[in-house]
Amino acid sequence: MKKLILASAALAMTAGMAMAESHGVVRLGTEGAYPPYNFLNDAGEVDGFEREVGDELCARAELTCEWVTNEWDSIIPNLVSGNYDVIIAGMSITDERDEVIDFSEPYTQPDPSIFIAASDSVDTMGGVIAAQSGTIQASYVASSGATLLEFATPEETVAAVRNGEADAVLADKAFLLSVAEADPELMVVGEDVLLGGGVGLGIRESDGELKAKFDAAIQSMKDDGTLNALITKWLPDAVTF
C-alpha cells in the first residue's frame, strides 16, 4: 500500500514538473549537511562536490536551476510530493529506493564506508554502531549483528561516539576521514566496507524527459574528464570513471 500511495503521488506531480520546466527552473534538493558532498558555507549557500556537479550539469542540460535544502529523513517523500525536482545529496542507488523514485546514471562510483571510534578495540560487528537513518550504512549495520543506533543527522552519529553512546559510527569514507583527521580522540577502525551501486540523481519516475537530459549531461562530463576532475578535487580517495 505504501508503494502504491507513493507512486500515485509521483504521477500526480507530473503537471507540476511540466510547469517548473516551462518556467525554466528546476529545483535541486540537497541535505546541506554532509561534507564534502554538500554543505552550507559561511554565506549560508550550498557548497561542495555536488554544488559544482549540479551547476555544471544544469549548464550542460541548458536548464536554469535553483538549490533548496531538506532534511535527509524526508528527502525522498518531498521529492515525490513536488517540493523540488531532483535529489542531489550523496544518495546511493539501491533497489529499495529505485522502487519509489528513478535514478540518473551514477555521477560517482560507490564510495567505501568506514568506521571511526574512540578506541581501536571496538567490536564493529557486535557492538553499538551509530549511522544516519535511511542510509545504506544503517541497513548494513542492522543486518550485521551489531546494535544499530540511528540518528537524523551525520553530526549526531559522530556525537554519539564522542559521548560514549555508541562504540563506533559507520558512514561514507569521504565524510568520516575529515572528522577523524580533525579530532585526535577519534580513529578509523576495521576494514573499508563497499556498499551501494554508486551515487546518482534522484528523479520522480514520471519525469523521464528530465532524467534523459541529466543522463546526457553526466555522460558529457564523463567523456571530457570534467567529472573525474571534480571527483579528484572533492573526493580524493574515491574511484574515478
Side-chain angles (χ1 to χ4, degrees):
M1 179 62 72
K2 181 179 179 183
K3 293 174 185 175
L4 178 61
I5 292 170
L6 288 171
S8 299
L11 290 172
M13 289 312 303
T14 304
M17 181 61 232
M19 182 177 294
E21 288 198 286
S22 70
H23 284 77
V25 177
V26 173
R27 296 156 298 170
L28 306 179
T30 194
E31 184 181 14
Y34 201 60
Y37 288 92
N38 58 83
F39 57 92
L40 299 182
N41 61 26
D42 292 340
E45 299 173 343
V46 174
D47 206 338
F49 170 65
E50 286 168 322
R51 176 60 192 259
E52 292 201 37
V53 170
D55 285 351
E56 182 65 22
L57 290 175
C58 289
R60 294 186 184 219
E62 299 183 342
L63 296 168
T64 299
C65 298
E66 64 181 26
W67 289 86
V68 299
T69 57
N70 192 97
E71 293 181 354
W72 175 262
D73 60 0
S74 62
I75 203 163
I76 289 179
N78 278 322
L79 170 71
V80 172
S81 62
N83 289 339
Y84 33 81
D85 307 302
V86 176
I87 294 172
I88 177 166
M91 180 171 283
S92 295
I93 300 168
T94 67
D95 291 340
E96 182 180 12
R97 291 169 179 158
D98 200 34
E99 291 179 1
V100 181
I101 62 174
D102 208 348
F103 281 99
S104 70
E105 292 297 310
Y107 56 87
T108 71
Q109 304 276 30
D111 187 35
S113 297
I114 60 171
F115 297 93
I116 65 170
S119 168
D120 60 7
S121 62
V122 300
D123 180 4
T124 57
M125 294 295 102
V128 178
I129 309 299
Q132 187 175 15
S133 59
T135 62
I136 55 175
Q137 289 86 7
S139 296
Y140 173 82
V141 173
S143 64
S144 70
T147 299
L148 171 64
L149 200 58
E150 293 184 272
F151 294 91
T153 68
E155 291 83 2
E156 288 175 299
T157 65
V158 176
V161 176
R162 289 190 174 117
N163 65 28
E165 193 175 357
D167 298 317
V169 54
L170 179 67
D172 288 322
K173 189 173 188 176
F175 169 67
L176 284 183
L177 268 184
S178 60
V179 173
E181 289 169 356
D183 189 338
E185 300 298 319
L186 298 177
M187 64 195 73
V188 177
V189 296
E191 301 294 328
D192 287 4
V193 181
L194 193 60
L195 303 171
V199 175
L201 305 174
I203 302 170
R204 285 185 291 271
E205 292 183 336
S206 56
D207 291 337
E209 183 179 349
L210 184 63
K211 177 183 180 299
K213 289 181 179 180
F214 278 117
D215 279 343
I218 290 169
Q219 188 60 53
S220 172
M221 289 182 70
K222 289 178 180 177
D223 290 344
D224 68 12
T226 305
L227 190 54
N228 280 345
L230 290 177
I231 291 170
T232 300
K233 173 184 176 180
W234 288 99
L235 312 171
D237 292 310
V239 178
T240 54
F241 288 101

